[in-house]
Amino acid sequence: MTTRKDGAAAGLAGLAGLIADETRAACLLTLLDGRAWTAGELARHAGVAASTLSEHLGRLVAGGLLTEERQGRHRYVRLADARVAQIVEDLAAHVVPDAGAGRPRTLREASAGSAMARGRTCYDHLAGRLGIAVTDALTARGLLRQDTGFALTDAGLAWFGTAGIRLDRKGRRPLARACLDWTERRPHLAGVAGAALCRHALDAGWCVRIGSERAVKVTGEGERALSRLLGIEAVALR
C-alpha cells in the first residue's frame, strides 16, 4: 500500500535539512546580529574555505533563509527576515549544552561567551541578561503582560511614546512577541516593540556593539536611562 507524501512534511524536512549542517548553522547564528556579512567574512568566521562556504550560502539563499546582494566584487548575505531569525533563535534555545564540548578553550573565548551572555542582539532585539532585565522591568511596571502571551498594555504603549521610541504598527509583525533566550532559558521581548527598543538603545548610545559578534555593552548613559525609565539597577546590566 502506498501513501501520498504530505507537502508540508516534505517542506519541513527540507527546511530541517538546510539547517542540519554545522557550517550552515554557524552562518545562521552569526547572521543573527542583523547585519549583512560578506561571503569571505563568514568563511573566515566558520573556519572553512571560501569555495566551500559559497556552496552552503547558495543552498541557504535558494531555500529562502538568506537574501543576498552584490556590491562590486563583494557578495553580501543576511537573514531573509525576522521569521528566519525566530526559527534559528528558538532552535538554539532548545539545544542542551554539552558540558565538555562547549567549554571555552582560551581566555578570549571565555570573555566573548561572557559578553554574549551579558547582552547581545537577537537579530533586531535585545537578548541575554540585558534583554531579560528589560523584559522583567517592563512586566513589573505593568507595561508588558506575560500571563496570556506577550502583549503591551495601554500603559506600555504610552511608555514607549513618552520614552520617544516610535512603534511602527503598519506591518503584519506582532507588536510584542516572546522569544526564548538561549542563554537564560527564559523569554525576552521581541516583535515590533523589541526591535524599536533595541534600535533606540543603539541610536541613543545606551548600548554599543563590542567584538565581532552580537555582543553589546550598556554604557553609562544607558545605565542612567534604564534606571530612570525602568528602575533597572546598574549592577543588573554589568
Side-chain angles (χ1 to χ4, degrees):
M1 179 179 177
T2 60
T3 58
R4 181 174 57 85
K5 288 186 177 179
D6 187 291
L12 179 60
L15 174 63
L18 279 175
I19 300 174
D21 175 272
E22 191 168 347
T23 297
R24 292 196 291 274
C27 290
L28 292 170
L29 286 169
T30 299
L31 291 168
L32 276 175
D33 69 356
R35 295 178 287 185
W37 287 55
T38 67
E41 289 170 338
L42 280 174
R44 290 190 293 272
H45 192 77
V48 298
S51 57
T52 298
L53 190 78
S54 181
E55 180 181 346
H56 286 299
L57 294 181
R59 293 188 61 179
L60 291 170
V61 170
L65 296 182
L66 300 184
T67 59
E68 66 175 339
E69 59 184 71
R70 293 185 180 272
Q71 292 185 8
R73 296 180 302 164
H74 295 293
R75 176 192 188 190
Y76 290 88
V77 294
R78 65 171 72 243
L79 295 182
D81 51 38
R83 292 177 300 174
V84 174
Q86 180 182 347
I87 292 170
V88 176
E89 184 78 5
D90 286 352
L91 287 174
H94 285 85
V95 175
V96 178
D98 186 320
R103 189 173 298 145
R105 294 168 294 181
T106 65
L107 178 60
R108 182 176 181 179
E109 284 187 4
S111 298
S114 177
M116 286 278 283
R118 181 178 61 243
R120 64 183 182 278
T121 54
C122 172
Y123 187 56
D124 62 0
H125 55 271
L126 298 172
R129 293 197 299 275
L130 170 59
I132 294 297
V134 170
T135 300
D136 285 349
L138 288 169
T139 304
R141 292 190 164 219
L143 309 177
L144 175 71
R145 293 190 61 180
Q146 297 190 42
D147 53 346
T148 56
F150 269 43
L152 290 181
T153 64
D154 290 340
L157 290 171
W159 180 87
F160 273 84
T162 300
I165 304 174
R166 180 177 174 273
L167 297 176
D168 183 1
R169 307 174 66 180
K170 296 178 181 178
R172 299 176 59 185
R173 190 177 186 186
L175 185 59
R177 179 181 67 78
C179 181
L180 184 60
D181 198 292
W182 63 266
T183 52
E184 298 300 302
R185 306 294 165 134
R186 294 176 53 203
H188 57 244
L189 176 65
V192 170
L197 183 56
C198 178
R199 184 168 56 251
H200 184 83
L202 290 169
D203 290 346
W206 295 358
C207 297
V208 292
R209 295 184 184 276
I210 56 175
S212 60
E213 296 193 35
R214 295 185 282 140
V216 297
K217 179 181 179 181
V218 179
T219 65
E221 175 62 26
E223 289 182 355
R224 290 187 289 272
L226 292 173
S227 174
R228 182 180 71 255
L229 293 170
L230 289 173
I232 301 176
E233 295 183 5
V235 66
L237 305 172
R238 298 172 180 172

